[in-house]
Amino acid sequence: MSRTVLVLNGPNLNMLGTREPATYGHETLADVSSLCRQTADELALNLEFRQTNHEGELIDWIHQARARCAAIVINPAAWTHTSVAIRDALVASELPVIEVHISNVHAREKFRHHSFVSPIAVAVLCGFGVQGYRLALQHVAHLLNAKG
Ligand code: DQA
């Protein structure tokens, strides 16, 4: 059985570290990638870590994951609050989805309180900073180990 986990990052997350550090912290996307790589190694998961600013590209990656991956961890960033297309692609993948947000979106503007992804996710993490990615991968390992 596949132990490949696709970690996807949406728009503007390539700017982590310099973008609104009071909200998102000082760690860069490369730091998040390293954290995920180290966590995946500890948990014997195969990791694919990607970021895009193009919604169609993200949707293509989700479609391709269906045949190859065991789970998707996704920080859809602003598309969380706008994209039915990403939600539909995630449903079509038939994979367990874990939604991650670095900030606590519920403590921020009202438009960030609604997520198109949360109702179809197995778990949602927000406000843990970049450690949320590590926690999400730990939960994926737990789900896969429980499946046997
Ligand atoms: C975010 C929260 C979103 O509301 C925002 O648009 C982002 C990042 C987070 O990780 O906290 O770009 O997903």
Side-chain angles (χ1 to χ4, degrees), residues 8-16 19 29 50-59 61 75-79 82 86:
L8 294 175
N9 294 279
N12 304 307
L13 291 171
N14 56 311
M15 303 287 289
L16 271 185
R19 172 194 181 205
L29 193 66
R50 299 187 193 169
Q51 187 276 333
T52 182
N53 294 323
H54 304 278
E55 189 172 358
E57 185 169 42
L58 190 82
I59 290 169
W61 290 342
N75 183 346
W79 293 327
T82 62
I86 288 172

PDB file of all heavy atoms in Angstrom, residues 8-16 19 29 50-59 61 75-79 82 86:
ATOM      1  N   LEU A   8       0.443  19.886  -0.093  1.00  0.00           N
ATOM      2  CA  LEU A   8       0.192  20.945  -1.078  1.00  0.00           C
ATOM      3  C   LEU A   8       0.021  22.298  -0.394  1.00  0.00           C
ATOM      4  O   LEU A   8      -0.638  22.391   0.655  1.00  0.00           O
ATOM      5  CB  LEU A   8      -1.081  20.624  -1.860  1.00  0.00           C
ATOM      6  CG  LEU A   8      -1.023  19.386  -2.739  1.00  0.00           C
ATOM      7  CD1 LEU A   8      -2.395  19.109  -3.353  1.00  0.00           C
ATOM      8  CD2 LEU A   8       0.028  19.548  -3.833  1.00  0.00           C
ATOM      9  N   ASN A   9       0.570  23.303  -1.031  1.00  0.00           N
ATOM     10  CA  ASN A   9       0.499  24.665  -0.513  1.00  0.00           C
ATOM     11  C   ASN A   9      -0.016  25.607  -1.590  1.00  0.00           C
ATOM     12  O   ASN A   9       0.480  25.594  -2.722  1.00  0.00           O
ATOM     13  CB  ASN A   9       1.893  25.134  -0.083  1.00  0.00           C
ATOM     14  CG  ASN A   9       2.405  24.344   1.100  1.00  0.00           C
ATOM     15  OD1 ASN A   9       2.038  24.624   2.232  1.00  0.00           O
ATOM     16  ND2 ASN A   9       3.241  23.350   0.830  1.00  0.00           N
ATOM     17  N   GLY A  10      -0.993  26.429  -1.224  1.00  0.00           N
ATOM     18  CA  GLY A  10      -1.612  27.344  -2.174  1.00  0.00           C
ATOM     19  C   GLY A  10      -0.906  28.689  -2.285  1.00  0.00           C
ATOM     20  O   GLY A  10       0.253  28.823  -1.898  1.00  0.00           O
ATOM     21  N   PRO A  11      -1.636  29.677  -2.799  1.00  0.00           N
ATOM     22  CA  PRO A  11      -1.035  30.938  -3.239  1.00  0.00           C
ATOM     23  C   PRO A  11      -0.413  31.755  -2.098  1.00  0.00           C
ATOM     24  O   PRO A  11      -0.923  31.756  -0.979  1.00  0.00           O
ATOM     25  CB  PRO A  11      -2.213  31.693  -3.844  1.00  0.00           C
ATOM     26  CG  PRO A  11      -3.417  31.130  -3.184  1.00  0.00           C
ATOM     27  CD  PRO A  11      -3.101  29.672  -2.973  1.00  0.00           C
ATOM     28  N   ASN A  12       0.672  32.388  -2.434  1.00  0.00           N
ATOM     29  CA  ASN A  12       1.416  33.313  -1.564  1.00  0.00           C
ATOM     30  C   ASN A  12       2.239  32.610  -0.483  1.00  0.00           C
ATOM     31  O   ASN A  12       2.989  33.261   0.231  1.00  0.00           O
ATOM     32  CB  ASN A  12       0.475  34.356  -0.911  1.00  0.00           C
ATOM     33  CG  ASN A  12      -0.305  35.126  -1.954  1.00  0.00           C
ATOM     34  OD1 ASN A  12       0.287  35.691  -2.873  1.00  0.00           O
ATOM     35  ND2 ASN A  12      -1.625  35.147  -1.856  1.00  0.00           N
ATOM     36  N   LEU A  13       2.112  31.296  -0.366  1.00  0.00           N
ATOM     37  CA  LEU A  13       2.886  30.603   0.670  1.00  0.00           C
ATOM     38  C   LEU A  13       4.362  30.505   0.292  1.00  0.00           C
ATOM     39  O   LEU A  13       5.200  30.240   1.158  1.00  0.00           O
ATOM     40  CB  LEU A  13       2.266  29.235   0.982  1.00  0.00           C
ATOM     41  CG  LEU A  13       0.914  29.349   1.703  1.00  0.00           C
ATOM     42  CD1 LEU A  13       0.223  27.985   1.804  1.00  0.00           C
ATOM     43  CD2 LEU A  13       1.058  29.960   3.097  1.00  0.00           C
ATOM     44  N   ASN A  14       4.684  30.756  -0.972  1.00  0.00           N
ATOM     45  CA  ASN A  14       6.098  30.884  -1.359  1.00  0.00           C
ATOM     46  C   ASN A  14       6.742  32.112  -0.694  1.00  0.00           C
ATOM     47  O   ASN A  14       7.959  32.211  -0.633  1.00  0.00           O
ATOM     48  CB  ASN A  14       6.244  30.977  -2.889  1.00  0.00           C
ATOM     49  CG  ASN A  14       5.439  32.101  -3.493  1.00  0.00           C
ATOM     50  OD1 ASN A  14       4.239  32.243  -3.201  1.00  0.00           O
ATOM     51  ND2 ASN A  14       6.048  32.914  -4.322  1.00  0.00           N
ATOM     52  N   MET A  15       5.898  33.016  -0.178  1.00  0.00           N
ATOM     53  CA  MET A  15       6.405  34.242   0.451  1.00  0.00           C
ATOM     54  C   MET A  15       6.586  34.099   1.963  1.00  0.00           C
ATOM     55  O   MET A  15       6.909  35.074   2.650  1.00  0.00           O
ATOM     56  CB  MET A  15       5.414  35.397   0.210  1.00  0.00           C
ATOM     57  CG  MET A  15       5.115  35.689  -1.240  1.00  0.00           C
ATOM     58  SD  MET A  15       6.508  36.496  -2.040  1.00  0.00           S
ATOM     59  CE  MET A  15       6.419  38.101  -1.258  1.00  0.00           C
ATOM     60  N   LEU A  16       6.353  32.885   2.476  1.00  0.00           N
ATOM     61  CA  LEU A  16       6.500  32.684   3.932  1.00  0.00           C
ATOM     62  C   LEU A  16       7.879  33.145   4.395  1.00  0.00           C
ATOM     63  O   LEU A  16       8.878  32.925   3.709  1.00  0.00           O
ATOM     64  CB  LEU A  16       6.368  31.192   4.286  1.00  0.00           C
ATOM     65  CG  LEU A  16       4.991  30.633   4.586  1.00  0.00           C
ATOM     66  CD1 LEU A  16       5.143  29.174   5.017  1.00  0.00           C
ATOM     67  CD2 LEU A  16       4.271  31.439   5.645  1.00  0.00           C
ATOM     68  N   ARG A  19       6.414  37.352   4.313  1.00  0.00           N
ATOM     69  CA  ARG A  19       5.017  37.794   4.214  1.00  0.00           C
ATOM     70  C   ARG A  19       4.389  37.869   5.615  1.00  0.00           C
ATOM     71  O   ARG A  19       4.282  36.859   6.306  1.00  0.00           O
ATOM     72  CB  ARG A  19       4.259  36.784   3.366  1.00  0.00           C
ATOM     73  CG  ARG A  19       2.780  36.970   3.318  1.00  0.00           C
ATOM     74  CD  ARG A  19       2.100  35.740   2.746  1.00  0.00           C
ATOM     75  NE  ARG A  19       0.682  35.932   2.692  1.00  0.00           N
ATOM     76  CZ  ARG A  19      -0.207  34.955   2.707  1.00  0.00           C
ATOM     77  NH1 ARG A  19       0.193  33.694   2.757  1.00  0.00           N
ATOM     78  NH2 ARG A  19      -1.481  35.215   2.669  1.00  0.00           N
ATOM     79  N   LEU A  29       9.160  28.771   3.396  1.00  0.00           N
ATOM     80  CA  LEU A  29       8.567  27.541   2.862  1.00  0.00           C
ATOM     81  C   LEU A  29       9.622  26.422   2.803  1.00  0.00           C
ATOM     82  O   LEU A  29       9.295  25.255   3.007  1.00  0.00           O
ATOM     83  CB  LEU A  29       7.953  27.796   1.486  1.00  0.00           C
ATOM     84  CG  LEU A  29       7.036  26.680   0.987  1.00  0.00           C
ATOM     85  CD1 LEU A  29       5.777  26.554   1.845  1.00  0.00           C
ATOM     86  CD2 LEU A  29       6.650  26.902  -0.476  1.00  0.00           C
ATOM     87  N   ARG A  50       4.795  20.437  -2.376  1.00  0.00           N
ATOM     88  CA  ARG A  50       4.665  21.360  -3.512  1.00  0.00           C
ATOM     89  C   ARG A  50       3.923  22.641  -3.133  1.00  0.00           C
ATOM     90  O   ARG A  50       3.104  22.626  -2.219  1.00  0.00           O
ATOM     91  CB  ARG A  50       3.888  20.701  -4.644  1.00  0.00           C
ATOM     92  CG  ARG A  50       4.556  19.456  -5.175  1.00  0.00           C
ATOM     93  CD  ARG A  50       3.844  18.956  -6.384  1.00  0.00           C
ATOM     94  NE  ARG A  50       4.310  17.621  -6.681  1.00  0.00           N
ATOM     95  CZ  ARG A  50       3.745  16.806  -7.546  1.00  0.00           C
ATOM     96  NH1 ARG A  50       2.677  17.199  -8.221  1.00  0.00           N
ATOM     97  NH2 ARG A  50       4.234  15.600  -7.759  1.00  0.00           N
ATOM     98  N   GLN A  51       4.195  23.689  -3.913  1.00  0.00           N
ATOM     99  CA  GLN A  51       3.474  24.974  -3.760  1.00  0.00           C
ATOM    100  C   GLN A  51       3.207  25.541  -5.145  1.00  0.00           C
ATOM    101  O   GLN A  51       4.021  25.419  -6.054  1.00  0.00           O
ATOM    102  CB  GLN A  51       4.344  25.959  -2.954  1.00  0.00           C
ATOM    103  CG  GLN A  51       3.654  27.272  -2.576  1.00  0.00           C
ATOM    104  CD  GLN A  51       3.694  28.334  -3.676  1.00  0.00           C
ATOM    105  OE1 GLN A  51       4.607  28.350  -4.507  1.00  0.00           O
ATOM    106  NE2 GLN A  51       2.712  29.224  -3.692  1.00  0.00           N
ATOM    107  N   THR A  52       2.033  26.165  -5.283  1.00  0.00           N
ATOM    108  CA  THR A  52       1.742  26.851  -6.546  1.00  0.00           C
ATOM    109  C   THR A  52       0.877  28.079  -6.300  1.00  0.00           C
ATOM    110  O   THR A  52       0.112  28.129  -5.326  1.00  0.00           O
ATOM    111  CB  THR A  52       1.030  25.913  -7.546  1.00  0.00           C
ATOM    112  OG1 THR A  52       0.815  26.629  -8.768  1.00  0.00           O
ATOM    113  CG2 THR A  52      -0.310  25.420  -7.012  1.00  0.00           C
ATOM    114  N   ASN A  53       1.009  29.033  -7.204  1.00  0.00           N
ATOM    115  CA  ASN A  53       0.130  30.211  -7.200  1.00  0.00           C
ATOM    116  C   ASN A  53      -0.953  30.088  -8.271  1.00  0.00           C
ATOM    117  O   ASN A  53      -1.666  31.062  -8.529  1.00  0.00           O
ATOM    118  CB  ASN A  53       0.963  31.484  -7.430  1.00  0.00           C
ATOM    119  CG  ASN A  53       1.899  31.744  -6.263  1.00  0.00           C
ATOM    120  OD1 ASN A  53       1.548  31.514  -5.112  1.00  0.00           O
ATOM    121  ND2 ASN A  53       3.115  32.198  -6.547  1.00  0.00           N
ATOM    122  N   HIS A  54      -1.065  28.903  -8.895  1.00  0.00           N
ATOM    123  CA  HIS A  54      -1.986  28.713 -10.031  1.00  0.00           C
ATOM    124  C   HIS A  54      -3.002  27.615  -9.681  1.00  0.00           C
ATOM    125  O   HIS A  54      -2.632  26.448  -9.509  1.00  0.00           O
ATOM    126  CB  HIS A  54      -1.190  28.368 -11.290  1.00  0.00           C
ATOM    127  CG  HIS A  54      -0.159  29.411 -11.579  1.00  0.00           C
ATOM    128  ND1 HIS A  54      -0.460  30.589 -12.225  1.00  0.00           N
ATOM    129  CD2 HIS A  54       1.146  29.482 -11.230  1.00  0.00           C
ATOM    130  CE1 HIS A  54       0.633  31.345 -12.285  1.00  0.00           C
ATOM    131  NE2 HIS A  54       1.618  30.702 -11.688  1.00  0.00           N
ATOM    132  N   GLU A  55      -4.247  27.995  -9.597  1.00  0.00           N
ATOM    133  CA  GLU A  55      -5.291  27.084  -9.095  1.00  0.00           C
ATOM    134  C   GLU A  55      -5.409  25.820  -9.953  1.00  0.00           C
ATOM    135  O   GLU A  55      -5.548  24.710  -9.423  1.00  0.00           O
ATOM    136  CB  GLU A  55      -6.627  27.835  -9.043  1.00  0.00           C
ATOM    137  CG  GLU A  55      -7.723  27.065  -8.349  1.00  0.00           C
ATOM    138  CD  GLU A  55      -8.984  27.896  -8.144  1.00  0.00           C
ATOM    139  OE1 GLU A  55      -9.010  29.089  -8.504  1.00  0.00           O
ATOM    140  OE2 GLU A  55      -9.961  27.327  -7.633  1.00  0.00           O
ATOM    141  N   GLY A  56      -5.351  25.978 -11.286  1.00  0.00           N
ATOM    142  CA  GLY A  56      -5.471  24.820 -12.173  1.00  0.00           C
ATOM    143  C   GLY A  56      -4.343  23.830 -11.960  1.00  0.00           C
ATOM    144  O   GLY A  56      -4.545  22.608 -12.045  1.00  0.00           O
ATOM    145  N   GLU A  57      -3.152  24.341 -11.686  1.00  0.00           N
ATOM    146  CA  GLU A  57      -2.007  23.453 -11.439  1.00  0.00           C
ATOM    147  C   GLU A  57      -2.247  22.627 -10.167  1.00  0.00           C
ATOM    148  O   GLU A  57      -2.013  21.411 -10.143  1.00  0.00           O
ATOM    149  CB  GLU A  57      -0.725  24.281 -11.299  1.00  0.00           C
ATOM    150  CG  GLU A  57       0.515  23.432 -11.171  1.00  0.00           C
ATOM    151  CD  GLU A  57       1.806  24.236 -11.296  1.00  0.00           C
ATOM    152  OE1 GLU A  57       1.898  25.342 -10.734  1.00  0.00           O
ATOM    153  OE2 GLU A  57       2.726  23.735 -11.975  1.00  0.00           O
ATOM    154  N   LEU A  58      -2.762  23.273  -9.140  1.00  0.00           N
ATOM    155  CA  LEU A  58      -3.061  22.552  -7.897  1.00  0.00           C
ATOM    156  C   LEU A  58      -4.106  21.468  -8.162  1.00  0.00           C
ATOM    157  O   LEU A  58      -3.982  20.332  -7.670  1.00  0.00           O
ATOM    158  CB  LEU A  58      -3.554  23.524  -6.825  1.00  0.00           C
ATOM    159  CG  LEU A  58      -3.653  22.891  -5.439  1.00  0.00           C
ATOM    160  CD1 LEU A  58      -2.288  22.886  -4.771  1.00  0.00           C
ATOM    161  CD2 LEU A  58      -4.631  23.613  -4.546  1.00  0.00           C
ATOM    162  N   ILE A  59      -5.116  21.795  -8.952  1.00  0.00           N
ATOM    163  CA  ILE A  59      -6.176  20.824  -9.265  1.00  0.00           C
ATOM    164  C   ILE A  59      -5.583  19.642 -10.039  1.00  0.00           C
ATOM    165  O   ILE A  59      -5.895  18.476  -9.740  1.00  0.00           O
ATOM    166  CB  ILE A  59      -7.326  21.522 -10.019  1.00  0.00           C
ATOM    167  CG1 ILE A  59      -8.052  22.463  -9.044  1.00  0.00           C
ATOM    168  CG2 ILE A  59      -8.290  20.513 -10.636  1.00  0.00           C
ATOM    169  CD1 ILE A  59      -9.029  23.416  -9.683  1.00  0.00           C
ATOM    170  N   TRP A  61      -2.553  18.480  -9.840  1.00  0.00           N
ATOM    171  CA  TRP A  61      -1.765  17.673  -8.887  1.00  0.00           C
ATOM    172  C   TRP A  61      -2.685  16.802  -8.036  1.00  0.00           C
ATOM    173  O   TRP A  61      -2.359  15.651  -7.734  1.00  0.00           O
ATOM    174  CB  TRP A  61      -0.926  18.581  -7.976  1.00  0.00           C
ATOM    175  CG  TRP A  61       0.212  19.271  -8.661  1.00  0.00           C
ATOM    176  CD1 TRP A  61       0.784  18.949  -9.857  1.00  0.00           C
ATOM    177  CD2 TRP A  61       0.924  20.412  -8.162  1.00  0.00           C
ATOM    178  NE1 TRP A  61       1.812  19.825 -10.134  1.00  0.00           N
ATOM    179  CE2 TRP A  61       1.921  20.726  -9.115  1.00  0.00           C
ATOM    180  CE3 TRP A  61       0.819  21.200  -7.017  1.00  0.00           C
ATOM    181  CZ2 TRP A  61       2.810  21.797  -8.941  1.00  0.00           C
ATOM    182  CZ3 TRP A  61       1.696  22.259  -6.840  1.00  0.00           C
ATOM    183  CH2 TRP A  61       2.682  22.551  -7.794  1.00  0.00           C
ATOM    184  N   ASN A  75      -2.582  23.047   2.648  1.00  0.00           N
ATOM    185  CA  ASN A  75      -2.867  24.412   3.087  1.00  0.00           C
ATOM    186  C   ASN A  75      -3.321  25.156   1.832  1.00  0.00           C
ATOM    187  O   ASN A  75      -2.486  25.601   1.046  1.00  0.00           O
ATOM    188  CB  ASN A  75      -1.630  25.068   3.695  1.00  0.00           C
ATOM    189  CG  ASN A  75      -1.945  26.470   4.213  1.00  0.00           C
ATOM    190  OD1 ASN A  75      -3.002  27.045   3.887  1.00  0.00           O
ATOM    191  ND2 ASN A  75      -1.049  27.024   5.004  1.00  0.00           N
ATOM    192  N   PRO A  76      -4.636  25.251   1.624  1.00  0.00           N
ATOM    193  CA  PRO A  76      -5.108  25.863   0.376  1.00  0.00           C
ATOM    194  C   PRO A  76      -4.973  27.383   0.377  1.00  0.00           C
ATOM    195  O   PRO A  76      -5.330  28.026  -0.619  1.00  0.00           O
ATOM    196  CB  PRO A  76      -6.601  25.461   0.322  1.00  0.00           C
ATOM    197  CG  PRO A  76      -6.826  24.501   1.459  1.00  0.00           C
ATOM    198  CD  PRO A  76      -5.735  24.751   2.453  1.00  0.00           C
ATOM    199  N   ALA A  77      -4.492  27.958   1.505  1.00  0.00           N
ATOM    200  CA  ALA A  77      -4.312  29.412   1.642  1.00  0.00           C
ATOM    201  C   ALA A  77      -5.618  30.125   1.273  1.00  0.00           C
ATOM    202  O   ALA A  77      -6.696  29.679   1.689  1.00  0.00           O
ATOM    203  CB  ALA A  77      -3.100  29.865   0.834  1.00  0.00           C
ATOM    204  N   ALA A  78      -5.558  31.186   0.482  1.00  0.00           N
ATOM    205  CA  ALA A  78      -6.778  31.971   0.205  1.00  0.00           C
ATOM    206  C   ALA A  78      -7.845  31.160  -0.527  1.00  0.00           C
ATOM    207  O   ALA A  78      -9.042  31.457  -0.402  1.00  0.00           O
ATOM    208  CB  ALA A  78      -6.406  33.213  -0.596  1.00  0.00           C
ATOM    209  N   TRP A  79      -7.449  30.126  -1.273  1.00  0.00           N
ATOM    210  CA  TRP A  79      -8.445  29.304  -2.000  1.00  0.00           C
ATOM    211  C   TRP A  79      -9.352  28.540  -1.043  1.00  0.00           C
ATOM    212  O   TRP A  79     -10.426  28.095  -1.431  1.00  0.00           O
ATOM    213  CB  TRP A  79      -7.747  28.338  -2.964  1.00  0.00           C
ATOM    214  CG  TRP A  79      -7.051  29.028  -4.097  1.00  0.00           C
ATOM    215  CD1 TRP A  79      -7.445  30.184  -4.712  1.00  0.00           C
ATOM    216  CD2 TRP A  79      -5.848  28.598  -4.751  1.00  0.00           C
ATOM    217  NE1 TRP A  79      -6.554  30.514  -5.708  1.00  0.00           N
ATOM    218  CE2 TRP A  79      -5.567  29.550  -5.749  1.00  0.00           C
ATOM    219  CE3 TRP A  79      -4.990  27.520  -4.589  1.00  0.00           C
ATOM    220  CZ2 TRP A  79      -4.455  29.454  -6.583  1.00  0.00           C
ATOM    221  CZ3 TRP A  79      -3.874  27.410  -5.417  1.00  0.00           C
ATOM    222  CH2 TRP A  79      -3.620  28.368  -6.403  1.00  0.00           C
ATOM    223  N   THR A  82     -12.556  30.360  -1.091  1.00  0.00           N
ATOM    224  CA  THR A  82     -13.160  30.745  -2.381  1.00  0.00           C
ATOM    225  C   THR A  82     -13.423  29.578  -3.327  1.00  0.00           C
ATOM    226  O   THR A  82     -14.230  29.731  -4.245  1.00  0.00           O
ATOM    227  CB  THR A  82     -12.228  31.717  -3.146  1.00  0.00           C
ATOM    228  OG1 THR A  82     -10.991  31.045  -3.434  1.00  0.00           O
ATOM    229  CG2 THR A  82     -11.961  32.986  -2.350  1.00  0.00           C
ATOM    230  N   ILE A  86     -11.434  23.351  -5.979  1.00  0.00           N
ATOM    231  CA  ILE A  86     -10.438  22.593  -5.205  1.00  0.00           C
ATOM    232  C   ILE A  86     -11.137  21.586  -4.303  1.00  0.00           C
ATOM    233  O   ILE A  86     -10.731  20.430  -4.196  1.00  0.00           O
ATOM    234  CB  ILE A  86      -9.505  23.539  -4.429  1.00  0.00           C
ATOM    235  CG1 ILE A  86      -8.575  24.235  -5.431  1.00  0.00           C
ATOM    236  CG2 ILE A  86      -8.703  22.797  -3.362  1.00  0.00           C
ATOM    237  CD1 ILE A  86      -7.731  25.337  -4.875  1.00  0.00           C
TER     238      ILE A  86
END
